[in-house]
Amino acid sequence: MSVFEEWAGRMEYERQSDVRWAVPASGTMRVPGVVFASEELLPDNIDEVLQQVANVAELPGIVRASFAMPDLHLGYGFCIGGVAATDVDAGGVISPGGVGFDISCGVRVLLSSLNRHEVDDAFPTLMERLDRRIPRGAGPGSLWDVDDADEMRRLLVDGSASAVAAGYGSEEDLARTEDEGRLDDADPDQVSEKALRRGQDQVGSLGGGNHFLEVQAVEQILDEAAAAAFGLFEGQVAVTIHCGSRGLGHQVCSDHVRSMQQAMSRYGIEVSDKQLACAPIDSPEGEAYMGAMAAAANYGRANRQVLAEAARDAFGHAFGTRDLRLLYDVSHNMAKLERHPLGDGEGGAPEEDERLLCVHRKGATLAFPPGHDQLHSDFADVGQPVIVPGSMGTSSWILAGGAGPDAAESAGAEAFHSTCHGAGRAKSRAGAKRAFHGATLREELGGQGIDVRSLDDPGLAEEAPGAYKDVDEVVRVCEVAGLSRRVARLRPLGVVKG
């Protein structure tokens, strides 16, 4: 019996294609739920995850559907891989659970001019340098000592630009960062003193969990035109950095969830799950969270900017060149105000009518298609780069926004130009530690030619490849569904983890 046949006894669903499933709107749902996945990618607790998809469909102002990407799994309020948009002018709400605790967690890829075989002799030197230099793990540890409250405020307002001004990188980096590394509506006054204290000593650090700095090689190119626009070639050495806003972002989420839980009754909002605490976007609570979230996002982008410069320093030390050009930096835990045509006449609006929506992407990545007016000029003809890290020891992918010619469907615009963000967990962290042993895993990965540098073995076990879904299948489904298309596959050479 398939997972979905088991699920049928608990929740009504419709199979719409091999990679698309729908939960019809019922009860308090305002819109249907839509899941992009093959059966192989469905988690064992699919009933709980789909209940989260249905719960999100209750949010005031939600339009079109409550979506889930192929890497879906259980999260806080929203499932990881959840996408939902609310109409600002129709009482739409903002929900911190639709962003997550690690605000603006995201990924950046740096590209070298070096070929895989040019770095063999000095590769241990590189990994040793990165191991010593990159702060990681829980608690304090940073590459940039933010001296005082004024400097911290500038960082929260200016994001990546503040890091560049402090000597970490260049203006070219800003042009290839989502929003040029800075959200304009950041309001540091909405960030609590506790959040500021947690973030002060963590600027330029990975943190723990699934965050990493990985040295990779481009193993396969599937889309020659996009690869050329992105500057990719087979055998190329690259660096991928995955991290977010550390303790500051976590505290911002905690603070504003609490505020919204206290405020919902004043706005007559009821939801099935208290983790979906929310408030109207134009309410004092909604505006306060939006300002704090933007500040935390700017922090997360500055954090990755500082780490990128540390990677350049390590390359210079090992290989005599700091030439690591930023391909792109994109977040996958954000809520953003965007204009989208509803496309189906919802609310009496004509199909071409664009509405201002608050698009929540939690464990989901923005993926603009070719020709979009917000694309960097280098990507105008091929679409936005999308960076999809795999599990430790498995491949990562670079995708491009927009459907390819062989897509069976074209769901990109429907899902507000969103796609997957990673492989997606198949086992909980506790389950992974029961199933895998860090020391054994380190030995196995070493036997595959992957140099793993981690702080401890239990943390390594939590991130074992077997704890995650098959990233190759995740990106295949994204392509078939028309959410994004595959450009290049990267394999790991060395990993630095918390």
Side-chain angles (χ1 to χ4, degrees):
M1 180 182 292
S2 73
V3 174
F4 265 98
E5 286 171 331
E6 294 178 12
W7 173 34
R10 296 187 288 265
M11 185 179 291
E12 183 182 356
Y13 75 97
E14 298 173 358
R15 183 166 193 163
Q16 299 180 328
S17 78
D18 288 344
V19 297
R20 181 185 175 109
W21 314 76
V23 180
S26 62
T28 53
M29 294 172 65
R30 301 170 191 264
V31 294
V34 173
V35 177
F36 300 104
S38 61
E39 288 204 30
E40 176 185 333
L41 296 175
L42 299 173
D44 292 339
N45 58 347
I46 184 62
D47 52 331
E48 296 177 72
V49 177
L50 266 294
Q51 188 61 59
Q52 289 193 320
V53 172
N55 291 344
V56 168
E58 299 175 354
L59 291 176
I62 189 169
V63 296
R64 195 170 289 154
S66 169
F67 294 99
M69 298 293 114
D71 47 341
L72 78 163
H73 56 284
L74 200 65
Y76 180 92
F78 276 56
C79 71
I80 310 298
V83 175
T86 61
D87 189 333
V88 174
D89 297 323
V93 296
I94 175 74
S95 174
V99 175
F101 285 92
D102 196 359
I103 295 167
S104 193
C105 184
V107 197
R108 69 168 45 195
V109 166
L110 301 154
L111 302 175
S112 81
S113 57
L114 299 171
N115 188 283
R116 165 71 184 94
H117 300 296
E118 294 180 84
V119 303
D120 283 344
D121 291 344
F123 195 77
T125 302
L126 173 69
M127 293 306 300
E128 195 64 37
R129 183 77 165 191
L130 290 170
D131 193 17
R132 290 200 307 268
R133 284 283 293 149
I134 301 298
R136 54 206 195 272
S142 64
L143 291 168
W144 180 8
D145 294 325
V146 179
D147 293 331
D148 54 37
D150 289 340
E151 189 173 29
M152 187 66 165
R153 187 180 183 89
R154 285 193 296 273
L155 188 157
L156 297 181
V157 170
D158 292 335
S160 296
S162 67
V164 170
Y168 299 99
S170 68
E171 294 290 328
E172 182 184 0
D173 292 335
L174 303 182
R176 285 176 171 261
T177 302
E178 182 184 1
D179 307 310
E180 297 187 343
R182 179 183 185 274
L183 288 168
D184 292 334
D185 51 355
D187 186 354
D189 291 337
Q190 305 304 329
V191 179
S192 68
E193 286 297 323
K194 184 174 182 180
L196 292 171
R197 286 196 303 272
R198 292 185 66 180
Q200 183 114 18
D201 299 325
Q202 295 182 334
V203 187
S205 63
L206 286 177
N210 64 342
H211 296 151
F212 63 81
L213 184 153
E214 188 165 291
V215 184
Q216 302 166 326
V218 178
E219 183 177 47
Q220 182 184 20
I221 288 175
L222 285 78
D223 185 326
E224 295 285 351
F230 293 172
L232 300 168
F233 60 87
E234 286 193 10
Q236 182 177 26
V237 176
V239 174
T240 295
I241 298 171
H242 176 210
C243 64
S245 51
R246 298 295 325 270
L248 182 142
H250 194 286
Q251 192 62 49
V252 164
C253 182
S254 297
D255 292 340
H256 289 269
V257 164
R258 190 178 308 113
S259 171
M260 290 186 183
Q261 285 176 338
Q262 296 168 355
M264 281 195 298
S265 61
R266 294 202 300 273
Y267 301 110
I269 297 173
E270 294 184 9
V271 291
S272 295
D273 183 354
K274 67 179 183 180
Q275 293 181 354
L276 291 176
C278 57
I281 296 161
D282 58 1
S283 69
E285 294 82 6
E287 291 176 352
Y289 173 70
M290 291 291 281
M293 179 196 66
N298 287 344
Y299 180 102
R301 291 155 191 205
N303 186 31
R304 291 193 291 276
Q305 180 66 34
V306 173
L307 286 166
E309 199 66 3
R312 289 172 173 141
D313 289 342
F315 263 62
H317 175 75
F319 307 133
T321 175
R322 299 181 76 258
D323 180 22
L324 279 174
R325 180 179 58 85
L326 179 60
L327 167 58
Y328 203 60
D329 180 302
V330 65
S331 300
H332 50 234
N333 277 5
M334 283 297 301
K336 299 177 75 172
L337 297 181
E338 302 169 4
R339 290 198 171 273
H340 291 269
L342 289 183
D344 55 6
E346 288 185 62
E351 288 190 9
E352 69 275 8
D353 184 35
E354 283 196 343
R355 306 296 293 270
L356 182 63
L357 307 179
C358 180
V359 185
H360 302 71
R361 295 184 182 91
K362 188 207 186 143
T365 308
L366 183 67
F368 287 137
H372 196 282
D373 59 9
Q374 293 189 41
L375 283 172
H376 186 288
S377 59
D378 289 350
F379 312 137
D381 294 334
V382 296
Q384 176 206 307
V386 175
I387 304 157
V388 182
S391 56
M392 180 182 57
T394 66
S395 295
S396 297
W397 282 88
I398 295 174
L399 314 180
D406 298 327
E409 306 175 31
S410 184
E414 179 191 8
F416 312 107
H417 302 313
S418 307
T419 192
C420 67
H421 88 303
R425 293 199 76 95
K427 292 182 182 292
S428 68
R429 287 185 165 85
K433 284 198 286 189
R434 289 192 297 269
F436 307 106
H437 299 283
T440 303
L441 179 62
R442 188 192 303 275
E443 184 177 339
E444 290 174 352
L445 293 174
Q448 298 170 27
I450 303 170
D451 188 343
V452 178
R453 307 295 178 108
S454 65
L455 295 180
D456 58 58
D457 288 341
L460 204 59
E462 291 180 3
E463 302 304 315
Y468 284 82
K469 300 178 186 181
D470 179 355
V471 69
D472 294 345
E473 176 67 1
V474 169
V475 298
R476 184 195 71 81
V477 169
C478 286
E479 185 167 285
V480 172
L483 297 166
S484 54
R485 64 191 194 281
R486 295 172 292 180
V487 176
R489 193 172 193 257
L490 285 66
R491 65 181 180 87
L493 304 174
V495 186
V496 177
K497 291 194 64 69

